[in-house]
Amino acid sequence: MTKFDVLTVGNAIVDIIARCDDAFIAENGIIKGAMNLIDAERAELLYSHMGPALEASGGSAGNTAAGVANFGGRAAYFGKVANDQLGQIFAHDIRAQGVHFPTTPLQTFPPTARSMIFVTEDGERSMNTYLGACVELGPEDVAADVVADSKVTYFEGYLWDPPRAKDAIRECARIAHENGREVAMTLSDSFCVHRYRDEFLDLMRSGTVDIVFSNKAEALALYETEDFEDAISQIAKDCKLAAVTMSGEGSIILKGGERTPVDAIEIEELVDTTGAGDLYAAGFLFGYTQGRSLADCGKLGSLAAGIVIQQIGPRPMLSLKSAAKEAGLI
C-alpha cells in the first residue's frame, strides 16, 4: 500500500484570468491559444491592460494534483513558490484541496510565478507566463520518500523550460523506477513540443517515461506530421501507454496494439478551456491508480475535463467524486 496515488511535479503558478475579445489579443501581440513565456516587464504591462480578473492557484501539474484529490485520491505535489503573497496563496489553496505539498519556499528573489490568462468569447485561453520562482526548482526539492511512496509520478513538459527542473525530473524518475513505480508526463503545449521534441522522444523511447498525455496538436507536432493516424501509430510504439485528447471528439487511449476510444461528455456551455488537459489527466490517473480499466480511466478523464471547461478557472468548483458517482464511474 503506497501513501500516495499520484505525485505531480510542475511550475507552481498563480493564474490571473480575465475575459477579452480577439481585438485585445491582436492589439497586445498575444499568440492566441498558446502558452507564451514572458519577462517581468511584459508581465507588468499585460497586467496593467487587463480588465477585472480572477486570481486562482494554477500551474498544469498543480491542477492535476488538485483534480486527483477532488476525486478522493491521495495526491502530492512538488513545485517552487517564493515566500510572498502569491506564494502563500498558492500553498494555502493546494493544501486546502487535500494535496501534500512539502516543497520549501524560496526566501529571496525571484517572486512567485504568475500567468495572465486571457479568455476569448470562443472559450480559448491564451496564457502569458512569468516563471519567477519556478526556475529555482531543482534536485534538492525532490523528497525521495514521497516519490518512492507514489504509484505514479507525473510531470509537465513545461518543466523543460527552466533548466534545473530537468535534473529534478530525472531524479524523480530514477527513484520511482527503483521502487517499481511508474512515471507519466504531459506534452503540455505544441509550442513546448517544438522546443524540446528530441528530448521528449528520448524520454519516451528510453523508458524514462511510461505514460504520455497529449492532445491532437501536440501529437502532430511531436512527429512533425499532419496525419493524425500516423502520429498516434508512432506514439503507441514509443511509450507503454498514451492518452491522446481530441477536444469535442473525445480521446483515444493507446497501449501496444490496443486502442480504446472514449467519447467526450455532453456539455451545456463552453466557458473556458483552461485546465481541460490537466483535469483529463487527473481523472485518468485517479482511475489508473485505482486499478480501473483503460476505458473507465478515459471516461473519468472526460468527465473531469467536461466539468472544468464549463466554468472559469482550472480547478473544479464542484465535487468530482460526487459527479463520478452520479455517472456510475465509481
Side-chain angles (χ1 to χ4, degrees), residues 33-35 60 124-125 127 154-158 185-197 200-201 204 212-228 230-232 234-235 243-247 273 276-278 280-281:
M35 193 284 284
S60 176
E124 189 63 77
R125 82 281 187 268
M127 298 180 288
Y154 166 96
F155 68 93
E156 58 189 68
Y158 288 136
M185 76 172 291
T186 172
L187 298 183
S188 291
D189 181 293
S190 56
F191 290 87
C192 186
V193 173
H194 285 303
R195 289 195 294 274
Y196 304 110
R197 177 179 177 273
F200 287 176
L201 286 171
M204 294 159 59
V212 174
F213 291 88
S214 171
N215 65 26
K216 186 174 182 178
E218 292 154 8
L220 294 173
L222 185 64
Y223 295 103
E224 298 181 312
T225 180
E226 295 181 4
D227 183 339
F228 184 56
D230 178 42
I232 61 175
Q234 290 196 67
I235 203 169
V244 182
T245 57
M246 302 172 289
S247 301
T273 59
D278 306 335
Y280 179 93

Side-chain angles (χ1 to χ4, degrees), residues 2-9 74-78 99-103 141-153 172 175-176 179 181:
T2 59
K3 187 174 182 180
F4 302 106
D5 297 314
V6 182
L7 160 66
T8 74
V9 189
R74 299 162 303 153
Y77 175 73
F78 297 162
V99 177
H100 178 60
F101 178 41
T103 312
D141 294 305
V142 173
D145 58 328
V146 177
V147 181
D149 221 4
S150 299
K151 292 179 184 175
V152 176
T153 293
C172 284
I175 296 166
N179 286 275
R181 314 301 184 199

Side-chain angles (χ1 to χ4, degrees), residues 88-100:
Q88 290 162 11
I89 288 171
F90 184 95
H92 171 270
D93 284 357
I94 200 160
R95 288 174 178 145
Q97 295 267 357
V99 177
H100 178 60

Side-chain angles (χ1 to χ4, degrees), residues 3-328:
K3 187 174 182 180
F4 302 106
D5 297 314
V6 182
L7 160 66
T8 74
V9 189
N11 288 325
I13 298 170
V14 175
D15 292 333
I16 304 169
I17 307 167
R19 290 183 175 277
C20 72
D21 55 23
D22 285 325
F24 180 93
I25 297 290
E27 288 165 8
N28 286 276
I30 296 167
I31 302 174
K32 186 175 178 179
M35 193 284 284
N36 310 288
L37 289 176
I38 59 174
D39 59 19
E41 184 179 356
R42 173 78 168 156
E44 286 184 16
L45 177 68
L46 288 178
Y47 186 70
S48 70
H49 291 176
M50 288 184 96
L54 167 74
E55 288 186 2
S57 297
S60 176
N63 297 335
T64 299
V68 170
N70 196 326
F71 271 112
R74 299 162 303 153
Y77 175 73
F78 297 162
K80 202 73 169 176
V81 296
N83 188 19
D84 54 20
Q85 185 179 2
L86 288 182
Q88 290 162 11
I89 288 171
F90 184 95
H92 171 270
D93 284 357
I94 200 160
R95 288 174 178 145
Q97 295 267 357
V99 177
H100 178 60
F101 178 41
T103 312
T104 302
L106 193 66
Q107 298 301 320
T108 56
F109 187 84
T112 297
R114 69 286 315 264
S115 181
M116 277 148 289
I117 302 176
F118 297 95
V119 182
T120 40
E121 292 170 1
D122 56 5
E124 189 63 77
R125 82 281 187 268
S126 305
M127 298 180 288
N128 300 268
T129 304
Y130 169 57
L131 288 176
C134 287
V135 300
E136 299 301 323
L137 181 74
E140 69 278 6
D141 294 305
V142 173
D145 58 328
V146 177
V147 181
D149 221 4
S150 299
K151 292 179 184 175
V152 176
T153 293
Y154 166 96
F155 68 93
E156 58 189 68
Y158 288 136
L159 281 179
W160 248 242
D161 284 314
R164 294 182 68 245
K166 295 182 186 183
D167 297 330
I169 291 304
R170 294 188 189 280
E171 177 67 1
C172 284
R174 182 189 66 78
I175 296 166
H177 287 143
E178 281 183 0
N179 286 275
R181 314 301 184 199
E182 290 183 289
V183 177
M185 76 172 291
T186 172
L187 298 183
S188 291
D189 181 293
S190 56
F191 290 87
C192 186
V193 173
H194 285 303
R195 289 195 294 274
Y196 304 110
R197 177 179 177 273
D198 290 342
E199 290 178 72
F200 287 176
L201 286 171
D202 181 64
L203 287 170
M204 294 159 59
R205 291 168 178 168
S206 67
T208 303
V209 168
D210 305 293
I211 305 166
V212 174
F213 291 88
S214 171
N215 65 26
K216 186 174 182 178
E218 292 154 8
L220 294 173
L222 185 64
Y223 295 103
E224 298 181 312
T225 180
E226 295 181 4
D227 183 339
F228 184 56
E229 174 60 36
D230 178 42
I232 61 175
S233 294
Q234 290 196 67
I235 203 169
K237 293 175 184 174
D238 283 339
C239 58
K240 295 176 186 175
L241 176 62
V244 182
T245 57
M246 302 172 289
S247 301
E249 298 174 45
S251 60
I252 186 162
I253 301 162
L254 308 156
K255 184 178 183 181
E258 179 187 351
R259 293 188 179 190
T260 306
V262 179
D263 291 333
I265 68 165
E266 291 188 14
I267 63 170
E268 293 181 8
E269 181 188 8
L270 173 62
V271 175
D272 174 14
T273 59
T274 309
D278 306 335
L279 269 295
Y280 179 93
F284 187 100
L285 290 172
F286 169 73
Y288 186 76
T289 55
Q290 305 306 307
R292 303 299 297 271
S293 69
L294 293 180
D296 281 352
C297 292
K299 289 175 184 176
L300 286 161
S302 288
L303 176 72
I307 286 170
V308 82
I309 64 175
Q310 296 182 77
Q311 64 168 59
I312 287 283
R315 298 188 182 174
M317 298 172 189
L318 51 76
S319 168
L320 294 175
K321 185 176 183 178
S322 296
K325 283 182 176 177
E326 190 176 325

